[in-house]
Amino acid sequence: GAGVSQSPSNKVTEKGKDVELRCDPISGHTALYWYRQSLGQGLEFLIYFQGNSAPDKSGLPSDRFSAERTGGSVSTLTIQRTQQEDSAVYLCASSLARRGSDEQFFGPGTRLTVL
Amino acid sequence: GEDVEQSLFLSVREGDSSVINCTYTDSSSTYLYWYKQEPGAGLQLLTYIFSNMDMKQDQRLTVLLNKKDKHLSLRIADTQTGDSAIYFCAESRGNGGFKTIFGAGTRLFVKA
């Protein structure tokens, strides 16, 4: 698989439950991003991992949201005690983070529905 | 902090030109990008421009950059119904250590 993959593709959960969303970036890409896309809200930055640097968590909307990136590869976005307003498509992207133009490659997203 | 802004919606008639505008605040921006998201799909890079250029043309697409005003635009000539999508403006410093900043996206509607 040459592209960014995300799982699951769809997740339906009940309010108050925890969920984990997974992202497998392109091999060799040192930068990894999580975004949230809500209807009418556009693309919202959540968190950014770059190599071994401390992640940029400035976009996380609350302390219920957290993310990890293990071994510089796979990343997991965790949402605790989900709320209905967390319903959205969660997108992951990766890039080479090289000098110059740096194209991000996006996964297909995980559609989260909180009932 | 850095910010990228664009209007949320644009509606044009088939055959007309579409112009999608974007403004950004980071004066250190080196690369400006346009990404396209078709319905039900992920974002894909459409084109980009380096900050020392003021125009880039690629078939029906023309990118204009006014670095002084920090204004970027994407012009689509002879817009087709297949161009209906969300278009995202983004900027980066190009040195690999800073994250790319995206706008919220402009939804283009093309009426037949």
Side-chain angles (χ1 to χ4, degrees), chain B residues 42-102:
Chain B
L43 281 75
Q44 287 192 308
L45 181 65
L46 195 58
T47 186
Y48 71 90
I49 188 168
F50 185 51
S51 61
N52 69 352
M53 299 168 64
D54 53 18
M55 186 181 85
K56 180 178 181 181
Q57 188 150 6
D58 182 4
Q59 299 182 338
R60 293 190 296 120
L61 304 179
T62 303
V63 178
L64 295 178
L65 174 61
N66 181 329
K67 194 174 180 182
K68 174 177 170 289
D69 294 338
K70 300 190 188 66
H71 182 268
L72 182 74
S73 68
L74 174 68
R75 179 177 182 269
I76 305 173
D78 186 25
T79 312
Q80 303 297 307
T81 54
D83 295 324
S84 294
I86 305 176
Y87 292 82
F88 294 87
C89 172
E91 59 90 7
S92 73
R93 293 185 183 181
N95 60 1
F98 291 87
K99 68 180 185 280
T100 302
I101 308 293
F102 278 80

Side-chain angles (χ1 to χ4, degrees), chain B residues 17 36 46 104:
Chain B
S17 292
K36 178 182 180 181
L46 195 58

Side-chain angles (χ1 to χ4, degrees), chain B residues 6-13 15-22 34 60-65 71-79 83 87 89 106-110:
Chain B
Q6 48 185 134
S7 55
L8 290 181
F9 299 99
L10 176 66
S11 180
V12 300
R13 292 186 186 278
D16 288 351
S17 292
S18 308
V19 179
I20 303 171
N21 294 301
C22 168
W34 285 105
R60 293 190 296 120
L61 304 179
T62 303
V63 178
L64 295 178
L65 174 61
H71 182 268
L72 182 74
S73 68
L74 174 68
R75 179 177 182 269
I76 305 173
D78 186 25
T79 312
D83 295 324
Y87 292 82
C89 172
T106 299
R107 187 179 291 271
L108 175 65
F109 296 94
V110 182

